[in-house]
Structures are given as C-alpha cells and as structure tokens.
Amino acid sequence: MDEALLSSLNEAQRQAVLHFEGPALVVAGAGSGKTRTVVHRVAYLVARRGVFPSEILAVTFTNKAAEEMRERLKAMVRGAGEVWVSTFHAAALRILRAYGERAGLPPGFVVYDEDDQSALLKEVLKELGLAAKPGPIKGLLDRAKNRGVAPESLLEELPEFYAGLSRGRLLDVLLRYQEALRAQGALDFGDILLYALRLLEGDPEVLKRVRKRARFIHVDEYQDTSPVQYRFTRLLAGEEANLMAVGDPDQGIYSFRAADIKNILDFTRDYPSAKVYRLEENYRSTEAILRFANAVIAKNALRLEKTLRPVKRGGEPVRLYRAESARDEARFVAEEIARLGPPFDRVAVLYRTNAQSRLLEQALAGRGIPARVVGGVGFFERAEVKDLLAYARLSLNPLDAVSLKRVLNTPPRGIGPATVAKVEAFARERGLPLLDALREGASLLPRPEPVRHFLALLEELQDLALGSAEAFFRHLLLATEYPAYLKEAYPEDAEDRLENVEELLRAAREAEDLQDFLDKVALTARAEEPGEAQGKVALMTLHNAKGLEFPVVFLVGVEEGLLPHRNSLSTLEGLEEERRLFYVGVTRAQERLYLSYAEEREVYGRLEATRPSRFLEEVEEGLYELYDPYRQRPTPPPHRALGRSRRVRLALPELLCRHRAGLRPQRGGGGEPARDRVHRSRHPGRPAGISGGIPL
C-alpha cells in the first residue's frame, strides 16, 4: 500500500506526505502538484497511520476544489467519504448548525446571500429615511467581518462622509442592519465565520468536540487566509497543532479581499517546531518560462525562498513585443493567435485592468477569432458602460423604454419606483410611449421638478446626438456628474469603473458619429451564452487567472502604471504584491509566453509616452527575446525604449480627472517575514517615484 500511495510522487512530495504529527508548512510553487500532495497525505494518514477519516479536516477555498478533492480521495482510500473536506465558510456553518443555539442563534436560522443582504440594507435605509446606495455599505460590512471586527470599529478609517452619509448616520445604519438580521433569525455570509469563531472561543466544551472531528487539519492556499480565517484555524489546531498549511507566498495577490500574506510568512514563528517542505519541481511550464519566472520573483523581499525547477526542459523562448500603441498591441495579439491557429481555447490573454479588454475584444472579433471574458463580463456589458450607452440610445431613439427606465434615476435624481409606476400607468391609460407620458404627466406628479430636470437634460443630449460621439459623452459626464456618482456609489471599485468610462471615451473618439459608434457596439458586444467556452480565446484579469493554466499565454500591458499599477507604487508591500501578480501571470503559461507593452497609452485622458515595467528591466535580457514579426523594425530592449515614444495630449472632461482624487488607497500590511529561510533580495524593488513610475 505504501508504494501504491508514494510511487507517483517526487521526493519533496513524498517527504510532505510522510509527515505525521505536529505542524508542517508546505511551500508549494506554481504547478508543483500541491493538490496531489494533500490528497496523498490524507490517504496515507488513513491507510498507513491508522487515523480515522472522521478525524481529518481539509480546507480549500472554493466549492469546486473541495469537490475535486473528495472525488480523488474516494478513488484512493476506503472510508474517504468521512473525511471533512470543506471551505472555511462551509465548515463554520456546519459547526453552527450543530451548536448554533449555544451561540444565540435560533433553530433553522437562515443565511442571506448577496441579494438578500442588499435588499435588507435597502429596507434599513428606507426605514431611516436615507437615500444612500447599499453597495458601499455592504462593502464596509464585508471588510470588517473578514477582519473579524465589528463594522462600527472601522468608522474612524473612513472619510467624514461615506456613501453620502455622515459617520453618525452610517453608524445608525450599521447598528440597525445588525438588529434587523437578529430579528429575522438571519446571518449574512460574513457572519458565518464570525459567529463560529465566537462560539468556539467562548464555549470550551464545543471547542473540544470540534477538535476531535479535526485532529489533523490541512489548509490549502494558506497565503490567501484572512484574519478571521487565520484565527479560526489556530483555534481548531490547538496545542497539538497537527496542522499542515499549504501555499505559496509568491502567489499572494488578494490583499484587497483581506488576505494577509503574513499568515504564511510567519507560520514558523506561530509554530516554532514546524517542519518545512518545499515543492519546487514544476510540471506545468517549460524551462524557458520558469527561468524567467524565477528571475522575476527573486526581486521580492517578503517571501520564503524557493526556486522552481522544470520537469519539461527547453521550450520556446519567452517573447517580448514592443507595441507602438495599445491598439497596435491588440492587433499583434490577434494576428499572432491567428497565426498559431485553432483550437483557440488553449490561448489566454491576461491583463491588469478590466478596461484593457475592450481593444482586445474588438481586435479578435475583427480577425474572426472567438473569445470570451472569463470571471467577468464583456466591456460593453459592464454596468457603468451600459448606463452611458443607454443615454446614447435614448437620445437617438425616444421610444426606447428600456433605456429610459435605466437612466431615469441614474445617477439618482429623486425619481423613485413609485414615480415610475405612476408614469407607466399614465402611459397605459393614454396609450402613449413612456417618454411622452413622462412629458405630459410630469405636472400631475407630487414632485415634478426632478422629472423636468431630466427632460431638460434629455433635450440637450438629443441636440448633441447627431454629432460626435466623444462630444456627446463628454457633455453627458459633465451634465450628470457621473464620475462623482461612481465614486460615491461604488467606493470599493470606483477606480476600475472610472477606467472603463475612460475606455468608452477612447472608443467613442474613433467613431464617425454617435450612431456609427452604437452600431459598432452592437456588432461587438454580444453577451456570451452559458457553455460557450469551448474553442474560444480566454480573456481575463491577472487576478482571475490564479489557479488556471493554458498552453499559450499573452500577458499584455507590462508597463509602469499598469503593471505595477499606479495605485500600488506608494508602498513596498503594494509593489511586491504587483510583482507577485506578474509572477502569477507568467506561471499560467505551459508552452508559450508572450509579453507586450505599448510605447504610448492613454492615461487619465492624455495620450502619454509610457515605459516598460520595472519588472522587465529587472530581468536579464537573455531570459527573453525581442519579437517583432509583423513590422520588421529594430526593437530596442525595454530599458532603451522610452525615448522612442511620441507624446500627444488629448484632453478628456476635467470632471473625470478631478473625481479621481482620493481613489488610490494606501496599501499597508506586510509585516516581518518568517524566520524560516526568508529571502532578502539585494534588490527588493525600487520605492515609488524611482524608475520613472507614473506620478500619483
């Protein structure tokens, strides 16, 4: 039985699997077979060490990963169905279902999903007579509960006005929301771990029972654990600490979700007797790709030292393309994918921000190459883009009732659902189009002024609709103060949304007029149907690429201001997370890796000369080759490329730029690295302002 379990493992995996009691840290590099190691270790505990399956807990981060682990265990060892394989939240919910009454929860308590949570927040706001949007408040609640603190404790971190509410009124909302949850016998998603943690901390008898069910604990992706997940794990592990933490600090890229990389860096400080195992043999990528990846991540200071070693020797060189512009970059990607040929689902195009997808989607469509946006929606399907397009459609077609209802109170202008219902009833009664009913029935409404202001705005837009698409959207942004609305309504991701607005303006500039622009959008923006992934190029952000792999990867926009992103240049921790993000993108590639950067790109409405990312400048030129198969022109290495760019200024609405103030949060955290062979690079990354970074 021993050989059957161990024969397919390499030596490092074998040593980790043979670990029996006490804490262990498995530093598992990208593509090193960490899931195989965890599964074999669980099977070995049962088959050779006499551990009951009902004493083992394995925690993963997604339901899909948990199900995959269950199936693999069932195929390997008898009784594996009793192993507790779960996500953090599912494990906590199971505890609460068994012992919830001891935590003050009623029998049959319910768990609200995101829609339920938003609906309850809307009810609370209505009850308090407040007009704020629930989205930012929900974000605040999630952030607090991931940290394991009461939401009101974060008020001092917020500006005086948040989501359009003063701190005092926001506190009223938070307290009333929690009261409403209790009154309805409900928890929201963030409450699940918090309630379980408080139960275990406050009830020694329950803690003792749960620990018997989790004598041996495995936690995958340990670098992604939040403060509350960290506390939950330590509490369950107890003094025996039969805890195996598996992860890779070099792939810690989710600080915006409250993940704390200190949890894995400090593991040997938390557990001084811990054994450390390094999985460094990579089964995914070629030697050429891994040499480049190792050189990239070696520059980080906050890491546990390891070097990925390839099982697949040789391979195509890493190729770097210097594009004249973002449009040229997208054209190159499409032409190279066309040259490689089908099947296209072996190809992924990765980028730092959602706004970058627009040119790529259009370039691929222009070459007849099928593509899909993974982990998100296509550019023209994003809410802020659809809002602005709805204004354009309505301005050209007053009969468009769908667009009218979308923009009537967006941004909010005091035209609520009750008003809309009255106007719709008036339209049915008189047999009028909705816009005509709005005009004729405005005087009959209790508050006609908001409707009149909207109608006046629409008249202005209709006058502009026959001209330039760019001028139309410029006026729309100014007249509605739409950027300010995004900043207030969506503080958690307003930066990304504003970048999408900028990208829409760039696209509008290329059209002959507004009608031409909408026609092009209609031909490009078709929502993908479920199950249509086969045979399509995958387009996704670097964050969404984590855990995936593709034979061919294009990583675009490798330049200062994008990768590393301008928001991350003010702290070493932020810069190092960006380098980890680049590393994650590089290590998604199995056989071919293409990198590209543009000589100029629009930044905050201005066509700016850009420079290659410092991450490229840090890597020896011999680890990649310059690639320019379509223009046959000299391609200088990255550190010489800046001076060859042109600089052209094209002003965007000043309002759009003004409302970016305050949208770039400082990244903190980090902490001291673990004492176990922490790698301290002699070149840990240059501080902000050096290497020509885009100014904040």
Side-chain angles (χ1 to χ4, degrees), residues 146-171:
N146 278 328
R147 293 190 196 178
V149 300
E152 53 267 27
S153 68
L154 298 187
L155 291 181
E156 291 302 315
E157 298 179 12
L158 301 176
E160 187 60 38
F161 283 86
Y162 179 85
L165 300 175
S166 67
R167 287 179 184 168
R169 295 304 275 159
L170 183 57
L171 177 60

Side-chain angles (χ1 to χ4, degrees), residues 477 480-490 498 655 659:
L477 291 169
T480 61
E481 296 193 351
Y482 192 79
Y485 156 69
L486 290 180
K487 181 181 176 183
E488 182 175 316
Y490 307 100
L498 285 169
L655 186 67
H659 283 292

Side-chain angles (χ1 to χ4, degrees), residues 440-516:
E440 293 188 19
S443 60
L444 304 176
L445 297 171
R447 295 181 62 244
E449 284 308 309
V451 171
R452 288 173 178 156
H453 287 149
F454 172 78
L455 293 172
L457 168 65
L458 188 57
E459 286 184 14
E460 295 175 10
L461 295 175
Q462 287 174 326
D463 289 340
L464 292 168
L466 299 179
S468 157
E470 182 187 6
F472 174 89
F473 287 116
R474 285 188 178 204
H475 184 84
L476 173 59
L477 291 169
L478 288 166
T480 61
E481 296 193 351
Y482 192 79
Y485 156 69
L486 290 180
K487 181 181 176 183
E488 182 175 316
Y490 307 100
E492 301 298 319
D493 63 350
E495 178 74 15
D496 283 344
R497 291 174 185 270
L498 285 169
E499 286 180 358
N500 289 333
V501 171
E502 287 183 1
E503 189 63 30
L504 180 70
L505 287 164
R506 286 193 278 272
R509 185 179 305 130
E510 298 160 6
E512 293 180 10
D513 53 38
L514 188 61
Q515 185 65 71
D516 175 58

Side-chain angles (χ1 to χ4, degrees), residues 27-42:
V27 183
S32 62
K34 66 181 176 62
T35 303
R36 169 186 288 270
T37 302
V38 172
V39 170
H40 280 250
R41 200 258 178 160
V42 171

Side-chain angles (χ1 to χ4, degrees), residues 212-231:
K212 285 183 179 179
R213 186 65 180 85
R215 278 192 58 221
F216 289 85
I217 303 172
H218 305 74
V219 179
D220 195 9
E221 304 290 5
Y222 196 73
Q223 78 280 353
D224 292 335
T225 51
S226 67
V228 70
Q229 291 165 341
Y230 168 80
R231 287 169 55 193

